[in-house]
Amino acid sequence: MATDEKASLPHIERTAAEPRDNRLHPVILSQISQVNSSIRLLRLTPVEKEPIRFQPGQWVDLHIPTLPSPGGFTLTSTPSTSSSYLELAIQRPPPKTTSTPFTPAHWLWQPPSQILNTALAIRTGGSFTWPPPRPSSLKGIKRVVFVAGGVGINPLMSMLSVIAEEKKNTPDGKVGFKIVFLYTVRNSVDSDGRSEEILFLSRLREIFGILGEEGDFRLFVTEEEGNEGGLGVDSKSLRVQRRRIEESDLEDALGESERREGTVVYVCGVPGMTDRFVELAGKAEGMDEKRVLSEKWW
């Protein structure tokens, strides 16, 4: 269960017990793209032109020369691109006050002209990864259920992208299991009252186009107060619900109870949401809590 005390700890202390790469890799902040008013996509280019090894779902300790402690940010790209770039999705931090520290997220949300091409360093780490530890072989997996809340989609995006890459490389064009993705997000509006872009939505649509019948993407959208307009996306080909994910949605995503032995669940979101769905999935008929994996964003 998450606590305010743990949430207030610096990333390096909060993740002290997590596995980490021994090596610190030099990178350049080479690209900044604005997704919407609260999310930026960053690309880090390795200085040494060789792959930076990591597992889908892992994060990096991001070392910024002018700051005393590294920040923790999840990789949203896949290992296959790591010799060219690594991608991070960074949420805008709360405004800095006289009583709050200047964090790595504040640094990354400075004007692009002030930070582009800065030399940084990263170390990969984390245990919330794909493939899962159980079953011990991918051949034992029959269904994977991803549950993402807001920017909790970040590690799941890397995992899902790898699954799509693997499907394209298989002789029969199949991954061999069902992928169900539940994504809940707030429909934000900009200063002109227009609906903003939903993080990774276009990429998700492309991936589920690749997955075909093996994929099932379900989008859950909640509205900001006073925003009753459109989603800002073409929702004709999407399964969109204008509400939060409910217990019945998870139950349905898990499939028939007698066939859940090969079902694995990944949950990532704010602590309260994550705790709730981890408990529901672990206690569902036919499920084993060891096959329910989670990570919380703070």
Side-chain angles (χ1 to χ4, degrees):
M1 179 69 72
T3 64
D4 290 338
E5 180 180 1
K6 186 170 182 180
S8 65
L9 288 174
H11 159 76
I12 204 72
E13 294 181 31
R14 189 169 63 243
T15 60
E18 290 286 316
R20 273 180 166 82
D21 187 8
N22 292 325
R23 187 177 175 190
L24 199 61
H25 301 273
V27 295
I28 300 295
L29 176 54
S30 56
Q31 184 176 313
I32 300 174
S33 303
Q34 199 77 27
V35 177
N36 53 44
S37 62
S38 61
I39 302 289
R40 279 182 172 181
L41 283 183
L42 311 182
R43 282 196 175 187
L44 307 176
T45 300
V47 173
E48 301 162 349
K49 297 301 180 181
E50 60 183 48
I52 296 177
R53 298 186 182 280
F54 70 93
Q55 292 179 278
Q58 288 192 305
W59 36 255
V60 296
D61 300 330
L62 181 65
H63 293 260
I64 299 170
T66 55
L67 298 183
S69 181
F73 303 101
T74 302
L75 290 159
T76 56
S77 52
T78 67
S80 66
T81 70
S82 66
S83 60
S84 302
Y85 71 89
L86 298 99
E87 182 186 72
L88 307 174
I90 311 295
Q91 186 172 39
R92 181 194 290 271
K96 188 187 177 312
T97 66
T98 54
S99 61
T100 58
F102 186 76
T103 66
H106 286 106
W107 190 93
L108 293 168
W109 266 85
Q110 294 180 105
S113 60
Q114 295 182 20
I115 59 176
L116 267 174
N117 299 316
T118 299
L120 307 171
I122 61 170
R123 189 190 314 274
T124 60
S127 57
F128 182 63
T129 59
W130 175 267
R134 293 183 178 80
S136 57
S137 168
L138 287 178
K139 293 181 180 179
I141 297 177
K142 302 302 180 187
R143 178 181 290 251
V144 181
V145 178
F146 293 106
V147 183
V151 294
I153 194 174
N154 288 355
L156 308 184
M157 196 69 238
S158 179
M159 297 179 193
L160 184 67
S161 298
V162 164
I163 292 172
E165 287 179 353
E166 291 171 347
K167 178 182 174 73
K168 290 191 290 186
N169 293 328
T170 57
D172 61 357
K174 296 182 180 296
V175 294
F177 49 84
K178 184 78 172 181
I179 302 103
V180 185
F181 203 104
L182 310 183
Y183 182 21
T184 180
V185 65
R186 179 177 295 176
N187 184 25
S188 300
V189 296
D190 61 19
S191 57
D192 296 322
R194 294 172 299 194
S195 292
E196 295 193 310
E197 182 177 343
I198 294 174
L199 178 62
F200 293 131
L201 183 56
S202 60
R203 197 178 300 184
L204 286 164
R205 297 178 78 162
E206 180 180 348
I207 287 174
F208 278 92
I210 294 169
L211 294 177
E213 294 182 355
E214 291 184 299
D216 183 356
F217 175 48
R218 309 175 191 181
L219 179 65
F220 297 80
V221 179
T222 58
E223 307 289 345
E224 284 189 340
E225 187 175 350
N227 175 28
E228 302 298 335
L231 296 176
V233 297
D234 176 12
S235 60
K236 293 179 181 179
S237 60
L238 294 175
R239 295 181 63 175
V240 182
Q241 301 288 337
R242 289 180 175 270
R243 56 175 175 80
R244 298 181 187 275
I245 301 172
E246 297 173 354
E247 181 176 351
S248 58
D249 299 309
L250 177 62
E251 185 74 25
D252 180 62
L254 292 174
E256 298 176 6
S257 58
E258 62 270 19
R259 297 185 179 181
R260 291 175 181 171
E261 186 177 352
T263 297
V264 178
V265 180
Y266 284 87
V267 186
C268 189
V270 294
M273 171 207 159
T274 303
D275 290 338
R276 178 187 174 213
F277 285 110
V278 166
E279 182 178 10
L280 288 172
K283 292 182 177 179
E285 185 179 352
M287 286 297 298
D288 181 342
E289 61 182 16
K290 293 179 180 178
R291 289 184 276 109
V292 180
L293 310 172
S294 68
E295 186 164 83
K296 302 163 188 173
W297 60 270
W298 305 87

